[in-house]
Amino acid sequence: MAMMLDESEASDAELIGRAKGGDREAFGKLLERHYDFVYRAAYRWCGRKADAEDIAQEVCVRLGKAIRDYRGGGAFTTWLYTMTMNAARDTMRKTQRETVKTEAYGIHALISGEGPAEGEEPTEALWAAVRQLPDKQRDAVMLVHGEGLSHAAAAEAMAISETTVSWHIHEAKKRLKTLMRSAGEV
């Protein structure tokens, strides 16, 4: 996740410090540097380009207000990932509420594309199955396997213990085997 910075570029810590002080240019550089990370995490979480773009934009807006509260105790990307997960959850809840309303009007079948598309790549089918996992299992899998974080870093992002992350990963693997078998992928 770490980017190689040439000597003329400011570090994340410098940009964060300047952004906290109201420097819009520093804030813009920070966003530019980490936008792809936020988008990629959002896409893995929701699996749809349009939703991932919306989530990434929401994180950018939230970051403008939240940057003042960043304490620097852990990696900036871990804090940013937590913010992205929260925005994705909010989007998912909103989408679920809208789906309930749509079903009430009887048009859900027209806009719903349930199940994997014909000819879908196995990797996409796996990530689609991951998105069906319970929240904590899904988050643990996405952090550890999707983002390549250690169990310790994932534990920090999820605000749980490292052993609990390991347990969620273990349970997710068992559940994914079942989901993939029922989808005919395994």
Side-chain angles (χ1 to χ4, degrees), residues 53-76:
E53 290 169 351
D54 290 346
I55 291 165
Q57 289 300 312
E58 178 64 22
V59 170
C60 291
V61 170
R62 289 181 184 187
L63 185 61
K65 296 175 185 173
I67 193 75
R68 292 180 195 101
D69 297 330
Y70 177 68
R71 302 286 177 238
F76 179 68

Side-chain angles (χ1 to χ4, degrees), residues 33-86:
R33 187 175 289 171
H34 294 285
Y35 184 84
D36 289 343
F37 167 78
V38 170
Y39 173 82
R40 185 179 62 249
Y43 183 80
R44 282 202 180 111
W45 212 93
C46 68
R48 290 178 301 280
K49 183 179 178 189
D51 289 345
E53 290 169 351
D54 290 346
I55 291 165
Q57 289 300 312
E58 178 64 22
V59 170
C60 291
V61 170
R62 289 181 184 187
L63 185 61
K65 296 175 185 173
I67 193 75
R68 292 180 195 101
D69 297 330
Y70 177 68
R71 302 286 177 238
F76 179 68
T77 52
T78 301
W79 183 74
L80 195 55
Y81 190 86
T82 301
M83 185 178 277
T84 304
M85 284 189 328
N86 290 336

Side-chain angles (χ1 to χ4, degrees), residues 134-177:
D135 290 350
K136 295 288 186 179
Q137 290 177 16
R138 179 187 54 238
D139 293 349
V141 169
M142 288 191 171
L143 285 167
V144 173
H145 295 290
E147 295 304 319
L149 296 180
S150 67
H151 286 217
E156 182 181 339
M158 295 175 67
I160 59 176
S161 74
E162 188 174 346
T163 54
T164 304
V165 169
S166 298
W167 180 80
H168 283 306
I169 296 282
H170 174 75
E171 291 299 309
K173 285 179 181 179
K174 292 190 312 190
R175 192 172 297 227
L176 284 170
K177 283 181 185 176

Side-chain angles (χ1 to χ4, degrees), residues 69-147:
D69 297 330
Y70 177 68
R71 302 286 177 238
F76 179 68
T77 52
T78 301
W79 183 74
L80 195 55
Y81 190 86
T82 301
M83 185 178 277
T84 304
M85 284 189 328
N86 290 336
R89 283 187 192 114
D90 292 346
T91 298
M92 184 177 178
R93 282 190 288 269
K94 180 181 175 188
T95 301
Q96 287 173 339
R97 284 191 304 268
E98 289 173 0
T99 299
V100 168
K101 290 177 189 174
T102 302
E103 286 174 345
Y105 291 107
I107 60 172
H108 177 69
L110 296 174
I111 63 169
S112 175
E114 300 295 327
E118 195 64 35
E120 185 176 37
E121 288 187 39
T123 303
E124 279 304 310
L126 178 60
W127 284 112
V130 168
R131 287 187 286 277
Q132 294 176 31
L133 294 171
D135 290 350
K136 295 288 186 179
Q137 290 177 16
R138 179 187 54 238
D139 293 349
V141 169
M142 288 191 171
L143 285 167
V144 173
H145 295 290
E147 295 304 319

Side-chain angles (χ1 to χ4, degrees), residues 17-31:
R18 290 176 25 209
K20 282 181 169 187
D23 185 334
R24 290 176 184 226
E25 185 178 332
F27 182 74
K29 285 181 182 178
L30 197 61
L31 281 179

